[in-house]
């Protein structure tokens, strides 16, 4: 059986997390790995639809995703998790769950500056926040606690999606997971 692992990609909205995850997923599938991308937006729609964006609800959402990721990973799936997860304590709890189960876990910080993210503005969130239509936008008027020592830091604004995915693939290979 292939070794599963969770790869958690954290970063601001529009940082490139999901794009990098899908690029890496394609590459891993071509190599014969079982891969699932646990997209934060899809999880919110299907598993966490009743949750808002308070700190408590965000923590609950992250723990649900972490549980699902660990379940998949311990069963031989590479779970790629492009989820903001703005609070360090929530991410550490997910890491702890994986460590308790002896399940490989990698934290990747997609470290794209807020200025770049707001220009990309994939979902129009930065424009809505600037117009006063929404509040609580992570990294703007709600906190984002960047990982102090991630397994990998990707600066997506300085390289292509393919280069970012290749750097992450290299880390998985180095750790014996790809």
């Amino acid at each position: 059986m292939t070794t599963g692992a969770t790869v958690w990609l954290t970063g601001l909205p529009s940082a490139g997390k999901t794009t990098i995850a899908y690029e890496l997923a394609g590459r891993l599938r071509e190599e014969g790995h079982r891969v699932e991308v646990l997209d934060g937006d899809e999880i919110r729609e299907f598993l966490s639809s009743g949750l808002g964006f308070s700190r408590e609800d965000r923590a609950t959402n992250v723990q649900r995703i972490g549980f699902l990721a660990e379940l998949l990973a311990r069963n031989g799936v590479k779970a790629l998790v492009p989820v903001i997860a703005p609070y360090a304590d929530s991410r550490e709890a997910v890491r702890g769950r994986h460590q308790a189960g002896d399940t490989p876990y990698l934290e990747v910080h997609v470290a794209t500056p807020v200025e770049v993210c707001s220009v990309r503005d994939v979902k129009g969130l930065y424009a809505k926040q600037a117009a006063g239509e929404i509040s609580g936008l992570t990294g703007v008027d709600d906190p984002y606690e960047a990982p102090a020592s991630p397994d990998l830091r990707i600066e997506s604004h300085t390289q292509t999606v393919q280069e970012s995915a290749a750097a992450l693939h290299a880390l998985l290979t180095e750790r014996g997971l790809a």
Side-chain angles (χ1 to χ4, degrees):
M1 183 167 113
T2 60
T3 302
T6 294
V7 179
W8 197 288
L9 296 96
T10 178
L12 297 174
S14 297
K17 301 175 300 296
T18 302
T19 304
I20 294 166
Y22 279 109
E23 179 71 23
L24 178 63
R27 182 168 177 177
L28 290 170
R29 283 187 186 109
E30 285 175 9
E31 295 173 355
H33 296 277
R34 295 188 311 161
V35 181
E36 289 295 336
V37 177
L38 301 180
D39 181 285
D41 293 333
E42 291 177 0
I43 297 289
R44 275 222 174 249
E45 182 179 351
F46 296 107
L47 290 181
S48 298
S49 62
L51 297 177
F53 291 90
S54 67
R55 184 178 180 114
E56 183 179 295
D57 282 357
R58 288 177 192 255
T60 298
N61 186 49
V62 167
Q63 294 318 300
R64 287 177 182 176
I65 298 167
F67 171 81
L68 183 56
E70 198 274 334
L71 182 68
L72 288 167
R74 84 171 116 105
N75 284 285
V77 176
K78 304 287 188 289
L80 309 181
V81 187
V83 173
I84 296 168
Y87 301 110
D89 59 351
S90 292
R91 293 190 307 266
E92 278 309 306
V94 171
R95 181 186 295 275
R97 168 183 289 284
H98 283 73
Q99 288 172 338
D102 202 28
T103 306
Y105 177 87
L106 300 174
E107 183 178 67
V108 177
H109 181 205
V110 182
T112 308
V114 69
E115 299 78 19
V116 174
C117 294
S118 66
V119 170
R120 290 179 181 171
D121 204 9
V122 179
K123 299 173 199 146
L125 297 174
Y126 292 93
K128 286 180 183 174
Q129 191 278 336
E133 295 171 28
I134 63 169
S135 62
L137 182 60
T138 301
V140 178
D141 59 352
D142 210 55
Y144 176 73
E145 299 169 356
S149 54
D151 295 283
L152 179 64
R153 189 175 316 280
I154 292 175
E155 297 189 5
S156 73
H157 57 293
T158 66
Q159 59 190 24
T160 67
V161 171
Q162 293 75 19
E163 289 169 335
S164 296
L168 188 40
H169 188 274
L171 176 64
L172 286 168
T173 301
E174 175 187 304
R175 302 277 174 95
L177 300 169

